[in-house]
Amino acid sequence: MLKGFLSRLNAASQQASIKVEDLGDGIMAYRLHSRWTRILGFEVSFYRVGDLLVDTGFASARPLVLQALENSAISAICCTHHHEDHTGNAGALAERYGCPVFVYRPEHLDSEGLARLLSYRRLFWGKPGKFGAQAMGSRIVGRDSELEVIPAPGHSQTHVALFESVSRTVFVGDLYVAPGASAVMTHENPYLLADSLRRVAALEPRRMLTGHGIDVRNPVDRLLAKARSIERAAARSCRLIDEGERPRTVVRKIFPKGRQKDWMLKVLTQGEFSRLNFVRAAVKHGKDEN
Ligand SMILES: [Zn+2]
């Protein structure tokens, strides 16, 4: 009882809100905001395809999430990746519905900052709590829906895209958070990210739904454009560093616009998310590949 009260209090302090939207084709979208997402100008989204849940939102919105799904039948929870803004309610929902939680490569559950969350991640998303995860196979079959699993590493080692072949909708989590090359987390690999974008484009989806509210019809061109932009920016980063430029100078050359927003993102995320990380990752993983 005390736990429930505290989580409601936490939700209130985060000023969390949820909007539920019927997208057609048996797909429901759940759009979450908190004070932090409003400051940074994005949302955290999760989806229901028939009785399959794609992601679960962040922990501090848990009472709202449980309430929004109150009258839904859920037979499995499918995570696009294991970051806590998408798996924050997996444990609570699995317990309520007595259903499995599927993660691609669950052996990485404690990686990418999740073993010891930086304070900004606790502040932004709340305390996610543990959940037992089963490894995803090549498809997840519900009672009335089915999702194909497409490995899509880059943003996270556990990342997949989930493809619903009847409506040709692909759920891409954080594979596509912005057009073009953009700020990344310290653990990301831009080369794998570009390969994953091409793999998803090859499915020829009719609709792409992301983990942060982006909804694109006929997304193939957008996916390929982002892959090309990442590859170009990574190659240029390596070249400039080889020529003796400092990483911060390279960032200014590759990303001439939006420096203030990048600075704010970097400060708010204790340096975990930035364009400087993109340049560093391009050099680091470029060397891995050669
Ligand atoms: Zn993520």
mmCIF file of all heavy atoms in Angstrom, residues 81-120:
data_model
loop_
_atom_site.group_PDB
_atom_site.id
_atom_site.type_symbol
_atom_site.label_atom_id
_atom_site.label_comp_id
_atom_site.label_asym_id
_atom_site.label_seq_id
_atom_site.Cartn_x
_atom_site.Cartn_y
_atom_site.Cartn_z
ATOM 1 N N HIS A 81 14.350 -2.823 -26.859
ATOM 2 C CA HIS A 81 15.674 -2.913 -26.243
ATOM 3 C C HIS A 81 15.491 -2.720 -24.753
ATOM 4 O O HIS A 81 14.380 -2.467 -24.284
ATOM 5 C CB HIS A 81 16.655 -1.915 -26.857
ATOM 6 C CG HIS A 81 16.315 -0.464 -26.676
ATOM 7 N ND1 HIS A 81 15.150 0.097 -27.156
ATOM 8 C CD2 HIS A 81 16.988 0.556 -26.069
ATOM 9 C CE1 HIS A 81 15.124 1.393 -26.876
ATOM 10 N NE2 HIS A 81 16.224 1.693 -26.204
ATOM 11 N N HIS A 82 16.580 -2.842 -23.986
ATOM 12 C CA HIS A 82 16.405 -2.945 -22.544
ATOM 13 C C HIS A 82 16.557 -1.635 -21.788
ATOM 14 O O HIS A 82 16.517 -1.652 -20.561
ATOM 15 C CB HIS A 82 17.363 -4.008 -21.988
ATOM 16 C CG HIS A 82 18.815 -3.589 -21.974
ATOM 17 N ND1 HIS A 82 19.484 -3.162 -23.096
ATOM 18 C CD2 HIS A 82 19.719 -3.537 -20.955
ATOM 19 C CE1 HIS A 82 20.736 -2.875 -22.776
ATOM 20 N NE2 HIS A 82 20.899 -3.093 -21.482
ATOM 21 N N HIS A 83 16.694 -0.497 -22.461
ATOM 22 C CA HIS A 83 16.839 0.766 -21.723
ATOM 23 C C HIS A 83 15.596 1.057 -20.887
ATOM 24 O O HIS A 83 14.475 0.776 -21.309
ATOM 25 C CB HIS A 83 17.128 1.922 -22.691
ATOM 26 C CG HIS A 83 18.504 1.825 -23.301
ATOM 27 N ND1 HIS A 83 18.866 2.528 -24.424
ATOM 28 C CD2 HIS A 83 19.590 1.098 -22.936
ATOM 29 C CE1 HIS A 83 20.133 2.241 -24.721
ATOM 30 N NE2 HIS A 83 20.583 1.375 -23.837
ATOM 31 N N GLU A 84 15.836 1.680 -19.723
ATOM 32 C CA GLU A 84 14.800 1.749 -18.695
ATOM 33 C C GLU A 84 13.620 2.655 -19.039
ATOM 34 O O GLU A 84 12.573 2.536 -18.413
ATOM 35 C CB GLU A 84 15.428 2.176 -17.360
ATOM 36 C CG GLU A 84 15.861 3.644 -17.275
ATOM 37 C CD GLU A 84 17.191 3.924 -17.945
ATOM 38 O OE1 GLU A 84 17.693 3.077 -18.704
ATOM 39 O OE2 GLU A 84 17.737 5.017 -17.705
ATOM 40 N N ASP A 85 13.757 3.536 -20.032
ATOM 41 C CA ASP A 85 12.583 4.343 -20.401
ATOM 42 C C ASP A 85 11.576 3.504 -21.203
ATOM 43 O O ASP A 85 10.432 3.911 -21.393
ATOM 44 C CB ASP A 85 12.959 5.626 -21.170
ATOM 45 C CG ASP A 85 14.003 5.442 -22.242
ATOM 46 O OD1 ASP A 85 14.792 4.475 -22.148
ATOM 47 O OD2 ASP A 85 14.043 6.254 -23.182
ATOM 48 N N HIS A 86 12.009 2.324 -21.653
ATOM 49 C CA HIS A 86 11.120 1.444 -22.435
ATOM 50 C C HIS A 86 10.745 0.167 -21.684
ATOM 51 O O HIS A 86 9.766 -0.487 -22.033
ATOM 52 C CB HIS A 86 11.782 1.103 -23.769
ATOM 53 C CG HIS A 86 12.211 2.336 -24.524
ATOM 54 N ND1 HIS A 86 11.327 3.114 -25.240
ATOM 55 C CD2 HIS A 86 13.413 2.952 -24.616
ATOM 56 C CE1 HIS A 86 11.974 4.154 -25.750
ATOM 57 N NE2 HIS A 86 13.244 4.086 -25.385
ATOM 58 N N THR A 87 11.547 -0.205 -20.680
ATOM 59 C CA THR A 87 11.261 -1.444 -19.931
ATOM 60 C C THR A 87 10.868 -1.153 -18.487
ATOM 61 O O THR A 87 10.780 -2.079 -17.680
ATOM 62 C CB THR A 87 12.495 -2.367 -19.911
ATOM 63 O OG1 THR A 87 13.580 -1.655 -19.293
ATOM 64 C CG2 THR A 87 12.908 -2.806 -21.305
ATOM 65 N N GLY A 88 10.626 0.109 -18.166
ATOM 66 C CA GLY A 88 10.421 0.517 -16.772
ATOM 67 C C GLY A 88 9.236 -0.132 -16.093
ATOM 68 O O GLY A 88 9.175 -0.196 -14.863
ATOM 69 N N ASN A 89 8.264 -0.618 -16.867
ATOM 70 C CA ASN A 89 7.082 -1.233 -16.271
ATOM 71 C C ASN A 89 6.936 -2.704 -16.657
ATOM 72 O O ASN A 89 5.875 -3.298 -16.421
ATOM 73 C CB ASN A 89 5.832 -0.442 -16.680
ATOM 74 C CG ASN A 89 5.948 0.999 -16.219
ATOM 75 O OD1 ASN A 89 6.184 1.260 -15.037
ATOM 76 N ND2 ASN A 89 5.856 1.942 -17.147
ATOM 77 N N ALA A 90 8.000 -3.272 -17.221
ATOM 78 C CA ALA A 90 7.924 -4.666 -17.696
ATOM 79 C C ALA A 90 7.619 -5.620 -16.542
ATOM 80 O O ALA A 90 6.762 -6.501 -16.657
ATOM 81 C CB ALA A 90 9.223 -5.054 -18.390
ATOM 82 N N GLY A 91 8.326 -5.434 -15.410
ATOM 83 C CA GLY A 91 8.127 -6.330 -14.264
ATOM 84 C C GLY A 91 6.706 -6.249 -13.734
ATOM 85 O O GLY A 91 6.051 -7.277 -13.519
ATOM 86 N N ALA A 92 6.213 -5.034 -13.542
ATOM 87 C CA ALA A 92 4.861 -4.842 -12.983
ATOM 88 C C ALA A 92 3.798 -5.408 -13.927
ATOM 89 O O ALA A 92 2.834 -6.049 -13.489
ATOM 90 C CB ALA A 92 4.619 -3.360 -12.740
ATOM 91 N N LEU A 93 3.964 -5.204 -15.221
ATOM 92 C CA LEU A 93 2.971 -5.691 -16.193
ATOM 93 C C LEU A 93 3.031 -7.213 -16.330
ATOM 94 O O LEU A 93 1.993 -7.878 -16.443
ATOM 95 C CB LEU A 93 3.190 -5.018 -17.555
ATOM 96 C CG LEU A 93 2.796 -3.541 -17.596
ATOM 97 C CD1 LEU A 93 3.373 -2.859 -18.830
ATOM 98 C CD2 LEU A 93 1.277 -3.376 -17.583
ATOM 99 N N ALA A 94 4.264 -7.766 -16.301
ATOM 100 C CA ALA A 94 4.399 -9.225 -16.393
ATOM 101 C C ALA A 94 3.712 -9.889 -15.200
ATOM 102 O O ALA A 94 3.055 -10.925 -15.337
ATOM 103 C CB ALA A 94 5.870 -9.611 -16.442
ATOM 104 N N GLU A 95 3.845 -9.235 -14.045
ATOM 105 C CA GLU A 95 3.216 -9.785 -12.845
ATOM 106 C C GLU A 95 1.692 -9.688 -12.952
ATOM 107 O O GLU A 95 0.974 -10.642 -12.664
ATOM 108 C CB GLU A 95 3.717 -8.993 -11.637
ATOM 109 C CG GLU A 95 3.455 -9.695 -10.322
ATOM 110 C CD GLU A 95 3.992 -8.872 -9.164
ATOM 111 O OE1 GLU A 95 5.158 -8.463 -9.218
ATOM 112 O OE2 GLU A 95 3.212 -8.641 -8.226
ATOM 113 N N ARG A 96 1.202 -8.572 -13.422
ATOM 114 C CA ARG A 96 -0.252 -8.414 -13.518
ATOM 115 C C ARG A 96 -0.873 -9.411 -14.512
ATOM 116 O O ARG A 96 -1.906 -10.003 -14.261
ATOM 117 C CB ARG A 96 -0.617 -7.002 -13.943
ATOM 118 C CG ARG A 96 -2.131 -6.893 -14.105
ATOM 119 C CD ARG A 96 -2.539 -5.673 -14.870
ATOM 120 N NE ARG A 96 -2.814 -4.565 -13.975
ATOM 121 C CZ ARG A 96 -3.335 -3.415 -14.387
ATOM 122 N NH1 ARG A 96 -3.619 -3.247 -15.665
ATOM 123 N NH2 ARG A 96 -3.548 -2.450 -13.553
ATOM 124 N N TYR A 97 -0.222 -9.580 -15.669
ATOM 125 C CA TYR A 97 -0.821 -10.412 -16.720
ATOM 126 C C TYR A 97 -0.294 -11.850 -16.724
ATOM 127 O O TYR A 97 -0.755 -12.665 -17.526
ATOM 128 C CB TYR A 97 -0.588 -9.772 -18.097
ATOM 129 C CG TYR A 97 -1.347 -8.478 -18.253
ATOM 130 C CD1 TYR A 97 -0.716 -7.252 -18.125
ATOM 131 C CD2 TYR A 97 -2.730 -8.495 -18.494
ATOM 132 C CE1 TYR A 97 -1.422 -6.068 -18.228
ATOM 133 C CE2 TYR A 97 -3.439 -7.304 -18.599
ATOM 134 C CZ TYR A 97 -2.775 -6.103 -18.468
ATOM 135 O OH TYR A 97 -3.483 -4.936 -18.562
ATOM 136 N N GLY A 98 0.681 -12.118 -15.854
ATOM 137 C CA GLY A 98 1.256 -13.467 -15.826
ATOM 138 C C GLY A 98 1.825 -13.851 -17.188
ATOM 139 O O GLY A 98 1.666 -14.976 -17.663
ATOM 140 N N CYS A 99 2.490 -12.898 -17.818
ATOM 141 C CA CYS A 99 2.984 -13.140 -19.180
ATOM 142 C C CYS A 99 4.505 -12.991 -19.243
ATOM 143 O O CYS A 99 5.113 -12.375 -18.366
ATOM 144 C CB CYS A 99 2.301 -12.179 -20.161
ATOM 145 S SG CYS A 99 2.808 -10.481 -19.939
ATOM 146 N N PRO A 100 5.142 -13.552 -20.281
ATOM 147 C CA PRO A 100 6.598 -13.415 -20.404
ATOM 148 C C PRO A 100 7.024 -12.033 -20.902
ATOM 149 O O PRO A 100 6.238 -11.334 -21.549
ATOM 150 C CB PRO A 100 6.960 -14.484 -21.446
ATOM 151 C CG PRO A 100 5.725 -14.656 -22.260
ATOM 152 C CD PRO A 100 4.548 -14.379 -21.352
ATOM 153 N N VAL A 101 8.273 -11.674 -20.580
ATOM 154 C CA VAL A 101 8.900 -10.471 -21.148
ATOM 155 C C VAL A 101 10.012 -10.960 -22.060
ATOM 156 O O VAL A 101 10.915 -11.677 -21.611
ATOM 157 C CB VAL A 101 9.517 -9.580 -20.038
ATOM 158 C CG1 VAL A 101 10.134 -8.324 -20.652
ATOM 159 C CG2 VAL A 101 8.488 -9.221 -18.985
ATOM 160 N N PHE A 102 9.958 -10.594 -23.337
ATOM 161 C CA PHE A 102 10.980 -11.018 -24.286
ATOM 162 C C PHE A 102 11.959 -9.880 -24.565
ATOM 163 O O PHE A 102 11.554 -8.756 -24.861
ATOM 164 C CB PHE A 102 10.337 -11.456 -25.614
ATOM 165 C CG PHE A 102 9.543 -12.724 -25.500
ATOM 166 C CD1 PHE A 102 8.157 -12.708 -25.613
ATOM 167 C CD2 PHE A 102 10.178 -13.939 -25.273
ATOM 168 C CE1 PHE A 102 7.420 -13.878 -25.506
ATOM 169 C CE2 PHE A 102 9.445 -15.111 -25.169
ATOM 170 C CZ PHE A 102 8.066 -15.086 -25.286
ATOM 171 N N VAL A 103 13.246 -10.213 -24.457
ATOM 172 C CA VAL A 103 14.322 -9.263 -24.779
ATOM 173 C C VAL A 103 15.311 -10.009 -25.666
ATOM 174 O O VAL A 103 15.616 -11.173 -25.420
ATOM 175 C CB VAL A 103 15.046 -8.770 -23.496
ATOM 176 C CG1 VAL A 103 16.248 -7.908 -23.841
ATOM 177 C CG2 VAL A 103 14.092 -7.993 -22.598
ATOM 178 N N TYR A 104 15.798 -9.328 -26.687
ATOM 179 C CA TYR A 104 16.830 -9.916 -27.530
ATOM 180 C C TYR A 104 18.138 -9.861 -26.733
ATOM 181 O O TYR A 104 18.512 -8.814 -26.249
ATOM 182 C CB TYR A 104 16.944 -9.099 -28.819
ATOM 183 C CG TYR A 104 17.899 -9.637 -29.842
ATOM 184 C CD1 TYR A 104 17.697 -10.883 -30.418
ATOM 185 C CD2 TYR A 104 18.985 -8.877 -30.264
ATOM 186 C CE1 TYR A 104 18.564 -11.368 -31.376
ATOM 187 C CE2 TYR A 104 19.855 -9.353 -31.222
ATOM 188 C CZ TYR A 104 19.642 -10.605 -31.772
ATOM 189 O OH TYR A 104 20.499 -11.082 -32.725
ATOM 190 N N ARG A 105 18.815 -10.964 -26.554
ATOM 191 C CA ARG A 105 20.065 -11.046 -25.800
ATOM 192 C C ARG A 105 19.925 -10.534 -24.352
ATOM 193 O O ARG A 105 20.567 -9.540 -23.964
ATOM 194 C CB ARG A 105 21.177 -10.287 -26.536
ATOM 195 C CG ARG A 105 21.341 -10.777 -27.980
ATOM 196 C CD ARG A 105 22.420 -10.037 -28.707
ATOM 197 N NE ARG A 105 23.736 -10.433 -28.265
ATOM 198 C CZ ARG A 105 24.851 -9.756 -28.521
ATOM 199 N NH1 ARG A 105 24.800 -8.669 -29.231
ATOM 200 N NH2 ARG A 105 25.998 -10.192 -28.101
ATOM 201 N N PRO A 106 19.066 -11.178 -23.542
ATOM 202 C CA PRO A 106 18.866 -10.709 -22.153
ATOM 203 C C PRO A 106 20.122 -10.768 -21.294
ATOM 204 O O PRO A 106 20.160 -10.179 -20.211
ATOM 205 C CB PRO A 106 17.782 -11.662 -21.607
ATOM 206 C CG PRO A 106 17.708 -12.799 -22.541
ATOM 207 C CD PRO A 106 18.219 -12.329 -23.867
ATOM 208 N N GLU A 107 21.167 -11.438 -21.780
ATOM 209 C CA GLU A 107 22.428 -11.464 -21.005
ATOM 210 C C GLU A 107 23.026 -10.059 -20.860
ATOM 211 O O GLU A 107 23.919 -9.839 -20.050
ATOM 212 C CB GLU A 107 23.439 -12.433 -21.665
ATOM 213 C CG GLU A 107 23.989 -12.028 -23.027
ATOM 214 C CD GLU A 107 23.113 -12.477 -24.202
ATOM 215 O OE1 GLU A 107 21.918 -12.752 -24.002
ATOM 216 O OE2 GLU A 107 23.641 -12.535 -25.340
ATOM 217 N N HIS A 108 22.515 -9.112 -21.649
ATOM 218 C CA HIS A 108 23.038 -7.739 -21.561
ATOM 219 C C HIS A 108 22.181 -6.827 -20.671
ATOM 220 O O HIS A 108 22.369 -5.616 -20.673
ATOM 221 C CB HIS A 108 23.119 -7.116 -22.956
ATOM 222 C CG HIS A 108 24.179 -7.729 -23.809
ATOM 223 N ND1 HIS A 108 25.528 -7.614 -23.529
ATOM 224 C CD2 HIS A 108 24.089 -8.486 -24.927
ATOM 225 C CE1 HIS A 108 26.223 -8.272 -24.448
ATOM 226 N NE2 HIS A 108 25.368 -8.811 -25.305
ATOM 227 N N LEU A 109 21.240 -7.414 -19.924
ATOM 228 C CA LEU A 109 20.313 -6.574 -19.145
ATOM 229 C C LEU A 109 21.000 -5.588 -18.198
ATOM 230 O O LEU A 109 20.478 -4.515 -17.926
ATOM 231 C CB LEU A 109 19.362 -7.460 -18.324
ATOM 232 C CG LEU A 109 18.126 -8.009 -19.062
ATOM 233 C CD1 LEU A 109 17.289 -8.843 -18.120
ATOM 234 C CD2 LEU A 109 17.291 -6.899 -19.668
ATOM 235 N N ASP A 110 22.169 -5.969 -17.692
ATOM 236 C CA ASP A 110 22.857 -5.071 -16.755
ATOM 237 C C ASP A 110 23.914 -4.206 -17.436
ATOM 238 O O ASP A 110 24.773 -3.629 -16.774
ATOM 239 C CB ASP A 110 23.519 -5.888 -15.637
ATOM 240 C CG ASP A 110 22.484 -6.342 -14.616
ATOM 241 O OD1 ASP A 110 21.426 -5.680 -14.520
ATOM 242 O OD2 ASP A 110 22.722 -7.351 -13.942
ATOM 243 N N SER A 111 23.860 -4.119 -18.742
ATOM 244 C CA SER A 111 24.876 -3.330 -19.448
ATOM 245 C C SER A 111 24.323 -1.953 -19.819
ATOM 246 O O SER A 111 23.155 -1.661 -19.582
ATOM 247 C CB SER A 111 25.318 -4.068 -20.714
ATOM 248 O OG SER A 111 24.268 -4.071 -21.651
ATOM 249 N N GLU A 112 25.161 -1.146 -20.401
ATOM 250 C CA GLU A 112 24.794 0.172 -20.935
ATOM 251 C C GLU A 112 24.231 1.089 -19.850
ATOM 252 O O GLU A 112 23.224 1.774 -20.044
ATOM 253 C CB GLU A 112 23.821 0.007 -22.114
ATOM 254 C CG GLU A 112 24.449 -0.813 -23.239
ATOM 255 C CD GLU A 112 23.510 -1.157 -24.388
ATOM 256 O OE1 GLU A 112 22.341 -0.761 -24.342
ATOM 257 O OE2 GLU A 112 23.966 -1.818 -25.323
ATOM 258 N N GLY A 113 24.863 1.020 -18.682
ATOM 259 C CA GLY A 113 24.505 1.929 -17.588
ATOM 260 C C GLY A 113 23.400 1.424 -16.689
ATOM 261 O O GLY A 113 23.039 2.096 -15.719
ATOM 262 N N LEU A 114 22.839 0.233 -16.979
ATOM 263 C CA LEU A 114 21.701 -0.221 -16.185
ATOM 264 C C LEU A 114 22.082 -0.906 -14.879
ATOM 265 O O LEU A 114 21.257 -1.001 -13.979
ATOM 266 C CB LEU A 114 20.778 -1.111 -17.028
ATOM 267 C CG LEU A 114 19.840 -0.211 -17.830
ATOM 268 C CD1 LEU A 114 20.213 -0.177 -19.289
ATOM 269 C CD2 LEU A 114 18.412 -0.623 -17.633
ATOM 270 N N ALA A 115 23.336 -1.391 -14.777
ATOM 271 C CA ALA A 115 23.739 -2.014 -13.519
ATOM 272 C C ALA A 115 23.785 -0.944 -12.425
ATOM 273 O O ALA A 115 23.456 -1.198 -11.278
ATOM 274 C CB ALA A 115 25.108 -2.670 -13.680
ATOM 275 N N ARG A 116 24.176 0.239 -12.807
ATOM 276 C CA ARG A 116 24.267 1.351 -11.862
ATOM 277 C C ARG A 116 23.833 2.615 -12.595
ATOM 278 O O ARG A 116 24.642 3.271 -13.241
ATOM 279 C CB ARG A 116 25.716 1.460 -11.404
ATOM 280 C CG ARG A 116 25.835 2.080 -10.077
ATOM 281 C CD ARG A 116 27.239 1.954 -9.601
ATOM 282 N NE ARG A 116 27.379 2.587 -8.317
ATOM 283 C CZ ARG A 116 28.478 2.507 -7.609
ATOM 284 N NH1 ARG A 116 29.503 1.840 -8.064
ATOM 285 N NH2 ARG A 116 28.561 3.122 -6.452
ATOM 286 N N LEU A 117 22.550 2.933 -12.461
ATOM 287 C CA LEU A 117 22.000 4.056 -13.226
ATOM 288 C C LEU A 117 22.602 5.380 -12.769
ATOM 289 O O LEU A 117 22.692 5.639 -11.570
ATOM 290 C CB LEU A 117 20.488 4.133 -13.023
ATOM 291 C CG LEU A 117 19.604 3.095 -13.717
ATOM 292 C CD1 LEU A 117 18.151 3.336 -13.342
ATOM 293 C CD2 LEU A 117 19.761 3.148 -15.233
ATOM 294 N N LEU A 118 23.002 6.201 -13.712
ATOM 295 C CA LEU A 118 23.425 7.559 -13.365
ATOM 296 C C LEU A 118 22.218 8.289 -12.781
ATOM 297 O O LEU A 118 21.069 7.963 -13.108
ATOM 298 C CB LEU A 118 23.918 8.289 -14.622
ATOM 299 C CG LEU A 118 25.287 7.869 -15.174
ATOM 300 C CD1 LEU A 118 25.599 8.635 -16.450
ATOM 301 C CD2 LEU A 118 26.387 8.114 -14.148
ATOM 302 N N SER A 119 22.503 9.291 -11.946
ATOM 303 C CA SER A 119 21.394 9.934 -11.222
ATOM 304 C C SER A 119 20.383 10.577 -12.164
ATOM 305 O O SER A 119 19.190 10.587 -11.886
ATOM 306 C CB SER A 119 21.935 10.944 -10.215
ATOM 307 O OG SER A 119 22.833 11.804 -10.845
ATOM 308 N N TYR A 120 20.829 11.098 -13.318
ATOM 309 C CA TYR A 120 19.853 11.720 -14.217
ATOM 310 C C TYR A 120 18.846 10.699 -14.717
ATOM 311 O O TYR A 120 17.674 11.014 -14.926
ATOM 312 C CB TYR A 120 20.556 12.428 -15.399
ATOM 313 C CG TYR A 120 20.799 11.556 -16.623
ATOM 314 C CD1 TYR A 120 19.857 11.478 -17.648
ATOM 315 C CD2 TYR A 120 21.962 10.797 -16.751
ATOM 316 C CE1 TYR A 120 20.074 10.679 -18.754
ATOM 317 C CE2 TYR A 120 22.184 10.003 -17.847
ATOM 318 C CZ TYR A 120 21.238 9.944 -18.850
ATOM 319 O OH TYR A 120 21.445 9.139 -19.949
#
